[in-house]
């Protein structure tokens, strides 16, 4: 099914706004961005010495270093997500999949609302050690699979944005 064939109310989006991105497009774009997150995580583990400690002490972790690596990773990823969305409405993953984030009100680039979207998506990741962040993240990203008519995730709703074809 192409994005033009998706069932939704045509009056739910501004005239001239492209159709919503499919969940498959959104997933693939997020997969690309997750690879970027993995690189950031690896660099943070090396920079904090957490990776070296794990190699030198098999079966052990220095939780202070791992926690610091998590904070660094989430902070860098937050800046990546916020800057990319505020400037163009596209992360590298969204560019690769030819989708973009648009303001629900007028289809424009989200500018400051890109930062709101980034806060709601990225910062709960700080709670991953408590599993709260993981649970929120899972509900957040799956929300677009049942949300109608615009297939918004919770971070889209908070920022009043929608992901559309670029």
């Amino acid at each position: 099914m192409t994005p033009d064939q998706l069932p939704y109310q045509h009056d739910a989006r501004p005239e001239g706004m492209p159709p919503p991105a499919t969940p498959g497009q959104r997933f693939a774009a997020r997969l690309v961005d997750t690879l970027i997150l993995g690189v950031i995580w690896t660099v943070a583990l090396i920079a904090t010495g957490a990776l070296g400690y794990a190699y030198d002490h098999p079966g052990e972790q220095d939780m202070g270093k791992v926690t610091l690596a998590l904070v660094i990773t989430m902070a860098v990823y937050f800046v990546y997500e916020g800057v990319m969305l505020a400037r163009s409405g596209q992360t590298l993953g969204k560019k690769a999949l030819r989708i973009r984030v648009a303001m629900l009100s007028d289809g424009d680039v989200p500018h400051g609302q890109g930062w709101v979207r980034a806060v709601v998506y990225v910062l709960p990741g700080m709670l991953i050690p408590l599993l709260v962040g993981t649970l929120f993240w899972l509900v957040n990203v799956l929300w677009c699979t049942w949300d109608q008519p615009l297939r918004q995730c919770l971070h889209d709703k908070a920022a009043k944005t929608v992901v559309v074809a670029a």
Side-chain angles (χ1 to χ4, degrees):
M1 181 180 299
T2 67
D4 290 326
Q5 297 169 325
L6 291 173
Y8 63 91
Q9 302 163 353
H10 289 280
D11 60 357
R13 62 187 170 118
E15 189 172 323
M17 183 185 287
T22 66
Q25 287 173 303
R26 292 184 71 151
F27 175 78
R30 192 55 77 181
L31 191 59
V32 171
D33 290 329
T34 299
L35 292 173
I36 293 166
L37 179 63
V39 170
I40 297 167
W41 175 239
T42 302
V43 169
L45 287 171
I46 292 168
T48 60
L51 195 59
Y53 184 89
Y55 281 128
D56 293 342
H57 304 88
E60 296 180 32
Q61 292 184 17
D62 182 330
M63 288 311 293
K65 291 178 180 181
V66 171
T67 301
L68 179 59
L70 176 64
V71 169
I72 291 168
T73 299
M74 291 298 138
V76 170
Y77 192 71
F78 168 69
V79 171
Y80 161 77
E81 187 95 2
V83 166
M84 297 293 284
L85 295 179
R87 285 188 178 171
S88 67
Q90 293 180 296
T91 59
L92 295 177
K94 286 177 179 54
K95 285 181 185 202
L97 273 289
R98 297 188 173 122
I99 59 177
R100 69 180 179 88
V101 176
M103 290 303 299
L104 190 54
S105 61
D106 60 9
D108 201 8
V109 171
H111 302 294
Q113 289 302 103
W115 288 99
V116 172
R117 195 174 186 277
V119 164
V120 176
Y121 183 77
V122 176
L123 293 188
M126 299 295 276
L127 301 174
I128 283 176
L130 305 175
L131 295 180
V132 175
T134 304
L135 180 60
F136 175 80
W137 178 82
L138 187 59
V139 170
N140 179 21
V141 298
L142 289 176
W143 200 272
C144 72
T145 62
W146 60 77
D147 183 73
Q148 293 296 327
L150 298 173
R151 299 181 182 259
Q152 292 173 290
C153 291
L154 296 178
H155 54 275
D156 291 310
K157 291 185 177 295
K160 298 181 175 95
T161 60
V162 63
V163 180
V164 297

